[in-house]
Amino acid sequence: MAHTDHRTMRRVLRREIAGTIGLLTDEHDFRAMRRYRSFTFNDHATYLRQVEDLLRIRALQGIHTTVALFDPQEYAEFCSTKGLDPDVPAHRTRFTAELATTGPTLPYEGQPLAELVPALVDEAVRQATWEYAATLLARLGPCASCGEDLGRAAFTDASDLVARILDTAPPGDRHLVCSVTGTPETLVAVLHADRAADGTTPLDEAEALEFTTVLALGLATRSPGGLVMRTSAPGTPDRVYGWRLRGEGLEPLTAGEVFDAYCTDVESGDLISPESGVDYCAPPDLGRRDGEGPVPNHHH
């Protein structure tokens, strides 16, 4: 009886333990791990099916699992820094545990792996974009004239612009895309701002932080770029409008410029038929905040 009770308690405790699985999402990373003798999988497709089966079993047992993106190169660097043998399964487990707190992760909620893998890759790209943009902002240092931190000032301005863009947007779901092309790497950030039933617009904090950071970098470095908003609401055509990055601010695009941008093939330059049920229009006036405008004879 006591033995049964102990097994029951262990089974209950097992459900209380959250876990993380490091996932090799592509064939290239999978092949890189096969150089370790302790990594016994031979086929990537079979490996993915086994992972999916394990995730389902854990979910049926009531066990929460987080899926992390496992990067073989980062793992090798981790083992080298820690003085660990990378061909030991326990060390892969240790690396995966650290990914749970530092790397891109997603909770498994019963979705097919075919949906989870692209979402996990997108999360990794989002995090890398934010880290890269934040690093470039931090390197800008203080303004030579006034001493103000350029990165922090640009982030404040970008936050204000995002708030005004959302405040002036028509009701409905909002999808914003910001691209900055003048930095060493072209950066693209996306922000979803759907209107809730109570009239509020809740934002994903990580997504909003990345979007604002990329916009701030474009403003601070005066890089070429743009910001496009698409709004959708039941019973009305979608509206598309945008701005180009100009100096330390945004310059509205005309309806014709928005139409040309959406209806021209980027690679060939050929015209593309416009979407039905979409209005390409000029953006609303964002107004100006109190005290906005450059200090005379002083530009960051």
Side-chain angles (χ1 to χ4, degrees), residues 76-143:
E77 293 171 355
F78 169 83
C79 289
S80 177
T81 300
K82 302 286 187 181
L84 303 174
D85 180 358
D87 204 0
V88 175
H91 297 161
R92 290 197 289 275
T93 303
R94 180 174 169 181
F95 173 69
T96 301
E98 294 207 8
L99 286 179
T101 57
T102 62
T105 62
L106 286 177
Y108 176 71
E109 298 174 329
Q111 66 271 49
L113 214 57
E115 294 179 9
L116 190 148
V117 167
L120 185 59
V121 173
D122 287 346
E123 177 65 16
V125 172
R126 184 202 60 73
Q127 182 170 319
T129 298
W130 171 74
E131 290 175 350
Y132 182 69
T135 298
L136 293 182
L137 270 181
R139 288 177 180 172
L140 295 177
C143 173

Side-chain angles (χ1 to χ4, degrees), residues 192-214:
H192 299 88
D194 296 344
R195 180 71 63 90
D198 61 359
T200 61
T201 307
L203 300 177
D204 180 279
E205 291 186 8
E207 197 176 71
L209 178 61
E210 178 210 348
F211 187 90
T212 306
T213 302
V214 170

Side-chain angles (χ1 to χ4, degrees), residues 223-227 242-247 249-254 257:
S223 298
L227 192 156
W243 301 261
R244 65 171 56 86
L245 273 64
R246 180 61 57 90
L250 298 176
E251 179 181 275
L253 296 173
T254 66
E257 288 173 325

Side-chain angles (χ1 to χ4, degrees), residues 143-288:
C143 173
S145 299
C146 68
E148 184 176 16
D149 185 278
L150 295 174
R152 188 176 295 112
F155 189 87
T156 299
D157 291 342
S159 299
D160 178 73
L161 283 171
V162 171
R164 282 190 279 166
I165 288 171
L166 294 178
D167 287 343
T168 57
D173 295 341
R174 296 83 172 266
H175 180 83
L176 295 87
V177 178
C178 179
S179 61
V180 176
T181 59
T183 55
E185 298 287 339
T186 297
L187 302 180
V188 178
V190 176
L191 179 62
H192 299 88
D194 296 344
R195 180 71 63 90
D198 61 359
T200 61
T201 307
L203 300 177
D204 180 279
E205 291 186 8
E207 197 176 71
L209 178 61
E210 178 210 348
F211 187 90
T212 306
T213 302
V214 170
L215 176 58
L217 181 63
L219 298 176
T221 58
R222 297 173 177 264
S223 298
L227 192 156
V228 174
M229 160 83 90
R230 181 171 185 146
T231 64
S232 303
T236 62
D238 284 9
R239 298 185 64 188
V240 179
Y241 53 82
W243 301 261
R244 65 171 56 86
L245 273 64
R246 180 61 57 90
E248 295 179 354
L250 298 176
E251 179 181 275
L253 296 173
T254 66
E257 288 173 325
V258 176
F259 181 89
D260 289 343
Y262 266 78
C263 301
T264 303
D265 185 273
V266 176
E267 296 182 358
S268 67
D270 296 334
L271 293 178
I272 303 173
S273 298
E275 291 184 66
S276 61
V278 175
D279 286 343
Y280 303 95
C281 49
D285 183 8
L286 298 182
R288 297 175 68 86

